[in-house]
Amino acid sequence: MTTQGDARLTPVPEQQSAELSRQMAFQRRLLDINQRLLETLDPDGVLEMIADGLKQVVDYDNLAIYRVDPEARLLRPVLARERHAPEVLGHTIAFGRGMTGWAVEQGQPLLVNDALSDPRAIQIPGTPADPEAIIIVPLIARGEVLGVLNMGRVGGPEVYFSQADFEQVQLFAGQAAVALANARLYTDLVRSEARYRFLVDNSPDIVWAVDAAGRCTFVSESLERHTGWRPEQLLGRPFTALVHRDSRATARNAWQAIRDEPSRETSVRLDLRRRDGGLAAVEVTLAAVLEEGRFAGAHGAVRDLTERERLETDLRQQAAALAASEERARLARDLHDSVTQALFSMGLTAHALQLLLERDPAAAGAKLSELQDLQREALAEMRALIFELRPARLEHDGLVQAIKTHAAAVQARTGLEVSVVAEPLERLPLDHEEALYRVAQEALHNVVKHAGPCRARVELGHTEQGVELRVSDDGIGFDPAAVDGGRLGLAGMRQRAERIGARLAVDARPGGGTVVSLSLPVDAGRQSRPGAASAE
């Protein structure tokens, strides 16, 4: 038999219907709030919507929302409603301290209807110790505690939060945490994009992107600085639109290479058309963009080479001037060591001849013959040194004859046996021939000055790669690792080789002689000039 008390425990259909209606109304309200929360990406706006939405779900007298600072292990207040908001906003809470700190540290929600009697309670300075019921719920999204909300009702024992209130706040807090996480991600994205945009807009390079068809989808503002064209003038057009016609084949080859091998980054030098009609020398880097493993376009940067090439030209000119200065200094030393000495000897012989003319005419005749020999030697030495300073016959007679003439002059001056083995060569551009001549000249000078050899050999001829010059000796050699690259004229020879696109190699070892070789590729060397005389 059912007692009166039992009857009170058994819900009647009207009560069930009312409860169901209340739950449905709550769910509709929660869905509506959740929709608005997810549509709001501004963090401050999300906080305000959380406060307003929570008021509709479960009424409160005061509310505080804290942000978790994991590095400092602090809860920093970001919003406070109703009572004593300034005091709350000025007070941080350490992890584990008070009921709020405990809820964050444990990752657990908390319902306390008599907060004053809870031993974990702390009093925020400047706020009264009123009887209060409190709900504290951590805001957790993707396993991370982002913050915590603390809401309360103030009054006597009759003021409290029910278990249903507690559950509804937890449901709401879950949705609020997702909205906060989305807002934070959006903020991070906006900041990242702003940093990226700042870097792109202030980069000296042109940043670009194209789709799979090669049409421009993005070009940075620096395009105008380098070419005079506005970025919007290039969007939607093929990436070759600004490439000069002489560079388009190179650009297309680079594009095809990155399509064929998307994992490989490519760099290529191109000339771009400027809006004023001029050309801009640039270096373009390309990296593929892949979507689900398929080629979807490319992006990269364009670097202006104008200033770099100007500096490189200046450096080459300075290196050439330095090499010329060093050669002049060497010739000045040779003049002092040989010709000046010969002239001094001629002066002494002439003085002796003057004294012998009256005393011993026969001896005077011998001195006169000696004076004539000294004069011939000095003249030959002077001619050889003048030829070294300016090989005037190089352009007319060709490289082979110029090297033979110089080798003969070195042999006559020093007594060193110098042999020249040279094939007939097609004429090279004059700057290439002069570079080859100067390298042979400097190598022979090093042989004479440092090697102490009995003989030297100069070889000039064709190889599979192009033209090769070799200067070898049987002297004492040296250890290349122990010699400063700026000594022995090595730096000057390498600079001359680099200027004409050649490669210089030095093969030497102590006691084993030395071989200096210069290899000039076919493309760099076989550019004959119209009307040039054929080689010997």
Side-chain angles (χ1 to χ4, degrees):
M1 184 173 181
T2 303
T3 64
Q4 185 177 0
D6 292 333
R8 286 197 301 270
L9 294 174
T10 303
V12 296
E14 290 79 4
Q15 292 173 319
Q16 291 179 344
S17 178
E19 177 63 20
L20 182 60
S21 297
R22 190 182 69 80
Q23 289 291 340
M24 291 178 64
F26 169 73
Q27 292 294 338
R28 284 194 298 270
R29 191 162 58 246
L30 190 61
L31 286 172
D32 178 63
I33 295 170
N34 180 50
Q35 182 65 32
R36 286 185 281 119
L37 275 172
L38 294 179
E39 291 174 353
T40 304
L41 293 175
D42 173 52
D44 292 335
V46 169
L47 291 174
E48 293 293 335
M49 290 191 67
I50 289 174
D52 294 338
L54 187 57
K55 189 79 170 177
Q56 299 176 43
V57 173
V58 177
D59 192 24
Y60 56 80
D61 293 324
N62 51 68
L63 171 71
I65 299 177
Y66 296 84
R67 176 179 61 85
V68 171
D69 183 345
E71 293 184 0
R73 292 185 60 79
L74 288 175
L75 304 177
R76 301 188 184 278
V78 291
L79 181 140
R81 283 284 182 92
E82 311 305 333
R83 305 187 311 146
H84 313 295
E87 290 79 5
V88 172
L89 290 173
H91 182 73
T92 58
I93 300 174
F95 279 22
R97 187 166 183 267
M99 289 184 285
T100 306
W102 179 92
V104 169
E105 190 171 59
Q106 299 298 318
Q108 297 292 329
L110 186 63
L111 168 61
V112 178
N113 278 320
D114 186 7
L116 290 179
S117 63
D118 194 298
R120 295 167 296 189
I122 59 172
Q123 193 68 33
I124 295 177
T127 63
D130 294 334
E132 189 173 9
I134 292 178
I135 292 178
I136 302 172
V137 181
L139 300 173
I140 303 174
R142 302 178 182 90
E144 179 185 2
V145 181
L146 304 178
V148 60
L149 60 84
N150 180 320
M151 58 185 292
R153 287 176 176 170
V154 181
E158 70 280 0
V159 177
Y160 65 93
F161 287 113
S162 67
Q163 187 65 30
D165 293 335
F166 189 38
E167 293 172 357
Q168 289 175 356
V169 172
Q170 291 179 68
L171 286 172
F172 179 85
Q175 301 300 324
V178 172
L180 273 177
N182 290 344
R184 187 177 69 171
L185 289 174
Y186 176 74
T187 300
D188 291 343
L189 176 63
V190 169
R191 289 173 179 169
S192 177
E193 287 182 346
R195 287 192 296 268
Y196 176 76
R197 174 65 64 178
F198 176 81
L199 292 174
V200 166
D201 289 343
N202 291 277
S203 171
D205 297 343
I206 304 168
V207 180
W208 57 271
V210 297
D211 60 18
R215 293 184 296 265
C216 292
T217 58
F218 173 80
V219 186
S220 64
E221 294 292 332
S222 50
L223 175 71
E224 185 174 16
R225 189 163 62 248
H226 291 294
T227 67
W229 301 100
R230 291 286 304 152
E232 54 267 22
Q233 293 176 292
L234 194 58
L235 293 179
R237 301 179 66 189
F239 71 95
T240 55
L242 295 188
V243 179
H244 187 262
R245 60 178 179 274
D246 293 341
S247 296
R248 284 177 187 165
T250 303
R252 293 191 183 99
N253 290 339
W255 173 253
Q256 189 60 46
I258 203 168
R259 286 182 64 93
D260 294 342
E261 295 185 60
S263 60
R264 187 183 71 176
E265 185 175 295
T266 301
S267 295
V268 62
R269 186 201 178 282
L270 302 174
D271 287 327
L272 298 186
R273 296 186 299 109
R274 295 178 53 85
R275 190 169 187 177
D276 59 10
L279 295 180
V282 299
E283 181 182 52
V284 182
T285 58
L286 306 90
V289 175
L290 300 178
E291 292 181 0
E292 298 180 355
R294 292 180 299 179
F295 182 79
H299 58 187
V302 178
R303 175 160 295 180
D304 193 338
L305 297 181
T306 304
E307 182 64 15
R308 190 174 83 181
E309 291 188 347
R310 185 189 66 79
L311 292 174
E312 288 176 350
T313 300
D314 289 347
L315 286 174
R316 285 194 294 270
Q317 292 173 348
Q318 291 174 17
L322 179 61
S325 176
E326 291 176 349
E327 288 173 1
R328 291 189 184 96
R330 178 176 65 79
L331 289 172
R333 290 193 299 270
D334 288 347
L335 280 170
H336 181 271
D337 294 342
S338 57
V339 177
T340 303
Q341 184 177 356
L343 292 174
F344 180 72
S345 297
M346 289 171 62
L348 291 176
T349 303
H351 180 68
L353 177 62
Q354 184 179 12
L355 295 176
L356 290 172
L357 280 174
E358 296 179 357
R359 299 178 185 178
D360 190 350
K367 282 293 181 183
L368 180 60
S369 177
E370 181 180 340
L371 180 62
Q372 289 173 337
D373 290 341
L374 287 172
Q375 183 269 336
R376 282 193 295 269
E377 290 177 4
L379 181 61
E381 183 75 12
M382 181 65 73
R383 284 174 175 170
L385 291 173
I386 289 174
F387 179 80
E388 289 187 24
L389 183 62
R390 177 61 183 173
R393 303 289 296 176
L394 178 62
E395 183 171 6
H396 182 269
D397 293 340
L399 177 62
V400 174
Q401 187 57 46
I403 289 178
K404 286 181 177 179
T405 303
H406 177 68
V410 171
Q411 182 167 314
R413 187 173 76 252
T414 65
L416 173 68
E417 180 183 332
V418 183
S419 60
V420 177
V421 179
E423 301 174 4
L425 292 178
E426 182 180 337
R427 290 304 300 266
L428 306 175
L430 184 60
D431 59 333
H432 291 181
E433 290 186 344
E434 184 169 356
L436 286 162
Y437 173 80
R438 291 300 186 189
V439 169
Q441 180 187 57
E442 183 62 36
L444 285 176
H445 171 71
N446 286 340
V447 171
V448 173
K449 187 174 181 181
H450 302 289
C454 296
R455 61 185 62 84
R457 180 183 178 91
V458 181
E459 300 170 78
L460 183 65
H462 292 297
T463 65
E464 291 183 359
Q465 290 74 32
V467 176
E468 183 176 56
L469 169 72
R470 286 169 56 89
V471 180
S472 57
D473 67 73
D474 60 357
I476 61 174
F478 65 96
D479 181 5
V483 176
D484 184 354
R487 298 183 59 192
L488 300 181
L490 296 178
M493 286 191 284
R494 287 197 176 97
Q495 288 168 357
R496 290 187 184 280
E498 289 173 0
R499 280 199 296 273
I500 62 172
R503 183 177 64 85
L504 186 85
V506 179
D507 182 13
R509 63 181 185 277
T514 302
V515 178
V516 176
S517 60
L518 182 149
S519 299
L520 181 64
V522 175
D523 293 341
R526 295 182 180 175
Q527 300 173 14
S528 58
R529 297 162 294 148
S534 61
E536 295 77 9

